[in-house]
Amino acid sequence: MSHTVGVRQAQKQKTRQALLDAALGLLADQSLSSLGLREVTRVVGIAPTAFYRHFRDMGELGVALVEEALGSLHAMVRAILAEQELAEERIDRTVAVVERHVRQHPLHIRFMARERHGGVRAVRQAIAGELDRFAEEVAEALTSQPESEGWRADEVQMLAELYVDRLVTTAAALLDAEEDGERGAARQVVRTARRQLRLITIGQRHWLAEGRG
């Protein structure tokens, strides 16, 4: 009996993932608010009613895509920022991780960029929540750095939010450059991101010396 249950559960998970993959592919050229579940189930080859075994509605599917889009990136960036190494090395490694993530998951990045201010409220809230959690994780990593000694928690959080905002903006700009086939433009985006993050780091070093404002 347990084997049968296990097989059914595996098949259910497989179908759920197929729905996510199908929706992601269809969302390359349209917004979530314009995508119907019948389009998605048609690609997967299941009846429309079977959709509800996996998601309450398209909004819940969109939230699952948000979690899928950012999940792995969180851990990688947090691990790099927690390293006790030179700031420039951390910056270079962080930008390289974002660049690689964009190339490996372009559809997820396009979905996030479009839906961050899109028409499905649950997805907008999910993206905002994920970015807030991302900033909290970055803040936790930054707290362990010698440069953060003497900083209040709210100041470290502010710094983390600056980092996350730059990384999100960089990911969207890289995607646009990659889709346009402009290798030179993509390299310029990477260079700009490194310079911006270094500027933030310089500000971090002088924040306490110059006063909190």
Side-chain angles (χ1 to χ4, degrees), residues 107-213:
L107 294 179
H108 282 99
I109 301 302
R110 173 58 64 209
F111 168 75
M112 292 283 292
R114 179 183 289 123
E115 300 301 328
R116 188 179 182 184
H117 305 291
V120 180
R121 182 181 181 188
V123 175
R124 289 199 312 273
Q125 291 176 332
I127 293 172
E130 283 292 323
L131 293 180
D132 285 346
R133 281 188 288 275
F134 196 3
E136 289 169 3
E137 292 169 358
V138 170
E140 183 179 348
L142 292 174
T143 299
S144 67
Q145 295 178 6
E147 296 95 327
S148 298
E149 185 176 351
W151 282 52
R152 299 193 308 254
D154 65 307
E155 293 172 324
V156 177
Q157 182 66 29
M158 177 178 62
L159 180 65
E161 290 169 359
L162 286 173
Y163 273 112
V164 170
D165 182 69
R166 284 300 87 206
L167 294 179
V168 171
T169 301
T170 297
L174 271 172
L175 182 63
D176 287 339
E178 292 283 346
E179 289 183 344
D180 291 341
E182 296 289 341
R183 300 300 301 161
R187 287 193 293 270
Q188 183 58 46
V189 169
V190 169
R191 283 194 295 268
T192 299
R194 287 172 177 159
R195 293 180 68 196
Q196 289 172 334
L197 291 175
R198 283 175 184 141
L199 184 59
I200 292 172
T201 301
I202 291 170
Q204 178 186 8
R205 292 169 184 163
H206 295 279
W207 176 253
L208 294 183
E210 296 297 326
R212 288 182 161 102

